[in-house]
Amino acid sequence: MQRFAAADLLDLSAESIIIRDAEGGALVWNAASAALYGWRREEVLGANVDALLASRPRLKLDQLSPERRTIDVTRVASDQRLVLVEATYTPHFTPDGRLDYVVETARDVTEERASQQALRSNEQRYRTLFQAVTAACMEVDLSRALERLAPLLAAAQGEPRAHLLANPALVQDLLDHVRIVEMNDRSVDILGARGTPFPDTLRPFWTAESNDVFVDMLLARGRDERRLIREVQLRRLTGERLFGVFTMCLDAGLIGEGRVMIGIVDTTDIRVANARVEEGREKFKVLFEQMPVGLCVINCDALDSFYAEAGLDAQIDLEAYFAQRPEIAEAIQRMVYIEEANAHAVKLLALDDPAEIIGQSVDFSWTKRPDTFIRTIIAGIRRSSMEEQTQIVDRKGQVHDVIFTCVSIRQGGHRRSVISMLDIGDRLSAQAALDSLRAEFAHSARISLLGELSASIAHEISQPLTAIATSSQTGRQSLAKPEPDLEAAATALERVSSYALRAKEIITRVRGMASGRAPVLSETRLADLVTGAMPLVEAQARAMRIEISVSDRSSARQISVDRTQIEQVIVNIVVNAMQVIDSHAPAERRVAIEIFDRGEMVGCAISDSGPGLPAGRMESVFQRFVSTKPDGMGLGLALCRSIIDAHDGTIIADNASPLGGARFAFELPVATEERSL
C-alpha cells in the first residue's frame, strides 16, 4: 500500500481510476470513481470490483497479457443505475511474470453510446424503409450540380428559373452532374433497369418536359427547402414514358450535405386509366347525343327517404300495393325529374330545347299508360331493368308508340334511372301494311294453288255427289217395291247423309283456303294440320298414281299458328313434290310426310322420290321468281318461307330425302302463353 500512498493525487483526474490486485480486489478508488458509481472509497477498498459493480463482461485476470486493451463495460451503480463505461486496462507484472496489479481508467459513455445506437438504429430503419417502400426511392448527390449552378445564378440577373428553362442545354449539363448514390429495387423496376448496367446520373431518365421539375429541385436544395412535390414525366431505359408524382426530401443530418432523397410514385397506369375513362366519358356524351333513340337521365334521389317512410321494399307484393294505392305512383312522378335529355328525346317530347325539360317532372308522359310507370317504379325498387312496348304522351298531347327501357343505377351516392324511348310508330304502320300485303299475297297464292287443284277438287266432289245420286235412286227403288224394303231405304239415306257431309267438308276447306281473311292464331297439333291438308291433295295423288304416307312421331304439344296458312305450306310443298315426280316418272312414286319433335320445336319433313334439287339451287329455292319447274312462277316456296318466318319458325331444303329425292322441312315453336296471346 505504501507504493500507492500518492493515490490521493489521482483524485484530481476527471476519469475514474481503479487499481485492483491480482485477485481483483480494489487497491485504489479515486473520487471520480466514487462519483460515477456512488460507492465511497471506504466501502470499496479490498472488495472485488467486478462483483461489486456487476460488471459485464468481467475482467479475466488470469488471461491478461502485457498489452493495454480498451472495451465497453456495463456496470450497476449503488443506486441501481446502469452505467456504460469505456474502460482501458493496463496490467503490471512482477519480474518473474506474475500479475502484480491492474490499472483501469474509465469514462462514462452511457449517453454517447445511446446516441450512437439511436443513430445506427435510425440509419438501419432508414435503409430498411428505403428498400421496402413500394415507391421508387433514390439518394442523389447534387453537390457538383450546385457548384456549377452558382455562376449560372449570378448571370441570371434575378430570374434564375426562367434563365435556366430558356437554356435547355444548361439543364442537360446540370443533369450530367447529378450523381445517383443509391436506389431501391422499386426504382430499378419502374425505370426499366433490371438486368442492365445502371447509369450514374439522372440524365438518361429525364425528359425535356420535366426540366422545370429538375430546376425547381436544384433551387429548392440551394435554399435548404425540406420538401418539393411535383408531377413529373420521365423516360424508362427501354424508351417508354413514365408518369409519376415526384417528391424531393432534404435531411442533411441523415443523408449528408449536398444530397437529397427522391421519391417517384408511378402513376402511368392511373394516368392511362384516367385517359381511358375520360375518353369513355366523351364517347358516352357523343353517343348519348347522337343515338337515334330518346335518352333521358332521371334524378331519383328523393325516393330513398320516401320509400323508407312508406315501407316500400322488394320484400312486399309491390304489384298489389300500387294497384290499391295509385296515388303513391302519382306522388312519385312529381318527385323525380329529368337531369339530362338528348336531342332525340327533346324531339320525341315535342320540345324545342333541352332546357325546357331539365329539372322538370315526367308526369305528363304517363297520362296514357300509368301502368308502365308503375312497372318502372317496381323495377327500380327491385334493382332490375325493364323493357316493354308502351305509349308516351308529348308536351302537345300527341301519343307515341315506343319501345321503353329503364335501368336504375347508383352513382356517387345518387339514385338515377336511365331511360330510352324508341319511337316505333312508323314501324307499326309499316308492319300493319306488310301484314296486309302478306295476307293479299298469300290469298293470291292460295287462289293460284286452288286453280291448279281445281280438276282434282271437282273430281273429289263428284264422287260423293255421284254416290248421293246412286244412294237416292236405291232408296227410291227400295220404297217403290210392292213390299217396301225399309231397311235398305234407311241404309241408302245414311249413305246420302255421309256423302253429303263429305262434300261439305271438301267445300269448307276449299272456301277456307280461298278466303282473304287476316291471319288468326289458334292452338293445334301440327299432325292435325297435316291430316286436314290431305283431302286437298289426295285426288290429285290418285290421278298421278303417287303414294302419300304420313308418320307421326311427335308428342301432344301444340303450336300457336294460323291453321289455313300452315295447311297452305303443307299443300304447296306436297303438290310441288307430286308435280316433280310426275314430270320425271321415276320407278318409285312416293311422298313421305313425317311429323317430329326437336327440343322446343315441332317439325314436319316432306320427302319425295323425285330427282332432287339441282346442284347450286339449295339456297335460292325460297327466293321469289325462282322455280325448279319450267312453267313455274317461283312464288309458292317464297310464300312458304314468308309464312314460316311470320310464325317464328325455320324452313330448309336439301337432298337428304330417304326416298332419294328432295326434302323440305319446317319447324315451329311450341305454343307458350305469351305467343298465344
Side-chain angles (χ1 to χ4, degrees):
M1 295 293 294
Q2 295 299 322
R3 54 183 168 171
F4 299 115
D8 290 342
L9 296 176
L10 300 179
D11 287 340
L12 300 177
S13 173
E15 291 186 333
S16 165
I17 299 177
I18 302 172
I19 300 176
R20 68 183 78 183
D21 59 23
E23 283 74 34
L27 299 174
V28 174
W29 183 272
N30 73 345
S33 299
L36 178 60
Y37 300 116
W39 296 97
R40 298 193 310 274
R41 182 180 299 148
E42 297 80 11
E43 297 174 308
V44 173
L45 292 178
N48 186 286
V49 175
D50 283 343
L52 177 68
L53 300 178
S55 300
R56 298 192 308 274
R58 292 193 173 201
L59 182 63
K60 296 180 179 179
L61 298 171
D62 58 342
Q63 296 180 8
L64 287 175
S65 62
E67 291 82 12
R68 176 183 297 182
R69 57 178 300 203
T70 300
I71 62 173
D72 285 351
V73 181
T74 302
R75 287 173 173 161
V76 180
S78 62
D79 59 359
Q80 301 304 306
R81 287 180 298 109
L82 286 178
V83 180
L84 180 64
V85 297
E86 182 183 74
T88 300
Y89 300 106
T90 305
H92 292 265
F93 296 89
T94 63
D96 60 358
R98 290 181 295 107
L99 179 66
D100 190 5
Y101 61 91
V102 179
V103 179
E104 172 193 313
T105 60
R107 66 184 184 91
D108 186 359
V109 294
T110 304
E111 293 184 1
E112 179 182 327
R113 292 293 190 269
S115 176
Q116 292 174 350
Q117 179 64 29
L119 183 61
R120 285 194 297 271
S121 177
N122 286 340
E123 182 176 359
Q124 181 61 38
R125 285 197 296 270
Y126 156 71
R127 293 301 170 192
T128 302
L129 182 63
F130 182 82
Q131 289 296 338
V133 293
T134 57
C137 289
M138 289 187 224
E139 182 180 336
V140 298
D141 188 348
L142 303 178
S143 301
R144 292 175 58 199
L146 291 172
E147 290 175 3
R148 297 181 68 84
L149 181 63
L152 297 176
L153 295 180
Q157 299 180 350
E159 293 292 339
R161 187 177 192 273
H163 175 71
L164 290 173
L165 293 178
N167 294 274
L170 295 179
V171 178
Q172 294 299 306
D173 178 69
L174 292 171
L175 280 165
D176 281 334
H177 289 82
V178 175
R179 185 172 66 89
I180 298 175
V181 178
E182 187 178 2
M183 64 192 329
N184 67 355
D185 290 341
R186 180 60 177 160
S187 298
V188 175
D189 289 335
I190 72 169
L191 292 174
R194 181 70 65 184
T196 63
F198 204 86
D200 295 329
T201 71
L202 284 180
R203 183 170 181 176
F205 308 115
W206 218 265
T207 63
E209 292 85 352
S210 296
N211 279 352
D212 57 332
V213 179
F214 175 68
V215 170
D216 289 343
M217 178 177 68
L218 288 180
L219 296 177
R221 181 62 183 84
R223 295 189 295 266
D224 286 338
E225 293 182 9
R226 311 293 295 181
R227 185 174 290 105
L228 174 70
I229 301 176
R230 297 284 297 277
E231 288 189 357
V232 71
Q233 182 180 162
L234 302 178
R235 180 189 304 108
R236 294 186 172 97
L237 290 182
T238 52
E240 299 96 339
R241 289 298 173 105
L242 167 68
F243 298 91
V245 175
F246 172 93
T247 303
M248 181 204 77
C249 178
L250 170 63
D251 191 338
L254 181 62
I255 58 178
E257 292 293 335
R259 297 184 182 183
V260 295
M261 289 297 303
I262 291 176
I264 302 171
V265 177
D266 186 359
T267 61
T268 306
D269 292 342
I270 297 175
R271 186 184 181 99
V272 171
N274 288 340
R276 289 176 178 171
V277 169
E278 186 60 30
E279 181 183 0
R281 185 180 292 113
E282 289 301 319
K283 287 182 178 179
F284 170 76
K285 288 181 180 178
V286 172
L287 188 64
F288 185 84
E289 286 299 327
Q290 300 300 323
M291 279 287 288
V293 176
L295 296 174
C296 295
V297 178
I298 310 297
N299 186 298
C300 305
D301 288 342
L303 298 183
D304 284 336
S305 58
F306 179 79
Y307 287 165
E309 293 176 5
L312 283 171
D313 58 48
Q315 306 304 317
I316 68 173
D317 187 343
L318 294 170
E319 288 81 1
Y321 179 92
F322 283 105
Q324 296 170 4
R325 304 188 64 183
E327 71 279 2
I328 298 297
E330 296 173 3
I332 292 173
Q333 286 181 359
R334 295 188 291 271
M335 292 180 189
V336 299
Y337 59 88
I338 296 177
E339 279 190 348
E340 295 181 66
N342 70 352
H344 205 81
V346 171
K347 179 181 178 182
L348 185 60
L349 296 174
L351 302 171
D352 297 322
D353 192 293
E356 297 181 51
I357 194 65
I358 302 303
Q360 300 297 315
S361 170
V362 296
D363 53 353
F364 69 90
S365 298
W366 302 112
T367 54
K368 181 75 173 177
R369 291 290 302 274
D371 58 307
T372 297
F373 183 75
I374 289 174
R375 282 190 286 275
T376 67
I377 298 173
I378 294 173
I381 295 174
R382 292 173 176 167
R383 297 192 177 187
S384 61
S385 60
M386 62 88 66
E387 175 182 344
E388 67 177 62
Q389 180 178 325
T390 187
Q391 293 176 312
I392 63 169
V393 181
D394 65 24
R395 277 293 195 187
K396 297 179 180 179
Q398 184 176 351
V399 178
H400 298 269
D401 292 296
V402 297
I403 298 295
F404 178 86
T405 63
C406 179
V407 179
S408 296
I409 59 175
R410 295 277 185 167
Q411 185 180 39
H414 295 282
R415 184 185 191 125
R416 292 183 173 91
S417 292
V418 179
I419 66 172
S420 70
M421 301 167 288
L422 176 61
D423 191 346
I424 59 171
D426 292 342
R427 181 192 301 179
L428 293 180
S429 298
Q431 185 63 45
L434 179 62
D435 290 343
S436 176
L437 183 61
R438 182 183 288 121
E440 292 179 8
F441 177 44
H443 179 223
S444 299
R446 286 195 295 272
I447 295 300
S448 175
L449 180 60
L450 288 174
E452 294 183 23
L453 296 174
S454 59
S456 297
I457 293 172
H459 176 72
E460 187 71 13
I461 293 177
S462 68
Q463 286 184 329
L465 292 179
T466 301
I468 289 172
T470 303
S471 296
S472 298
Q473 180 65 30
T474 301
R476 284 196 299 271
Q477 291 175 354
S478 298
L479 293 174
K481 291 181 179 181
E483 292 184 8
D485 188 346
L486 297 180
E487 183 177 352
T491 300
L493 289 175
E494 287 178 2
R495 289 175 180 169
V496 168
S497 177
S498 174
Y499 289 130
L501 288 175
R502 172 69 172 164
K504 180 181 179 182
E505 288 176 0
I506 294 172
I507 293 171
T508 298
R509 293 191 180 280
V510 172
R511 181 182 296 166
M513 184 169 286
S515 67
R517 61 176 175 77
V520 177
L521 297 181
S522 62
E523 291 190 8
T524 184
R525 292 182 67 240
L526 182 55
D528 294 339
L529 298 182
V530 172
T531 301
M534 288 301 97
L536 296 174
V537 297
E538 287 174 348
Q540 187 172 359
R542 285 194 297 271
M544 294 179 174
R545 295 180 294 105
I546 295 174
E547 177 188 349
I548 299 178
S549 62
V550 178
S551 172
D552 182 9
R553 297 190 294 105
S554 65
S555 63
R557 292 189 295 178
Q558 297 187 323
I559 54 177
S560 180
V561 296
D562 182 282
R563 295 177 60 95
T564 300
Q565 288 188 352
I566 301 304
E567 286 184 358
Q568 182 177 355
V569 170
I570 297 168
V571 171
N572 268 342
I573 297 174
V574 172
V575 168
N576 279 352
M578 292 193 302
Q579 290 175 344
V580 168
I581 291 172
D582 193 54
S583 63
H584 288 80
E588 186 178 19
R589 302 167 69 88
R590 290 180 56 197
V591 174
I593 303 175
E594 180 184 10
I595 304 102
F596 58 89
D597 288 341
R598 191 174 69 86
E600 294 301 310
M601 308 288 281
V602 180
C604 175
I606 301 173
S607 305
D608 63 59
S609 59
L613 296 170
R617 299 289 295 275
M618 302 290 184
E619 299 298 327
S620 63
V621 292
F622 294 108
Q623 295 178 7
R624 289 183 175 87
F625 310 117
V626 174
S627 177
T628 58
K629 296 180 292 185
D631 57 347
M633 295 180 62
L635 294 177
L637 292 177
L639 174 63
C640 290
R641 184 177 67 176
S642 176
I643 292 173
I644 297 301
D645 287 347
H647 285 79
D648 296 328
T650 59
I651 185 169
I652 62 169
D654 55 38
N655 284 329
S657 168
L659 303 179
R663 183 187 67 146
F664 288 80
F666 63 88
E667 295 181 357
L668 297 167
V670 174
T672 62
E673 181 179 352
E674 179 180 352
R675 181 173 177 82
S676 299
L677 294 176

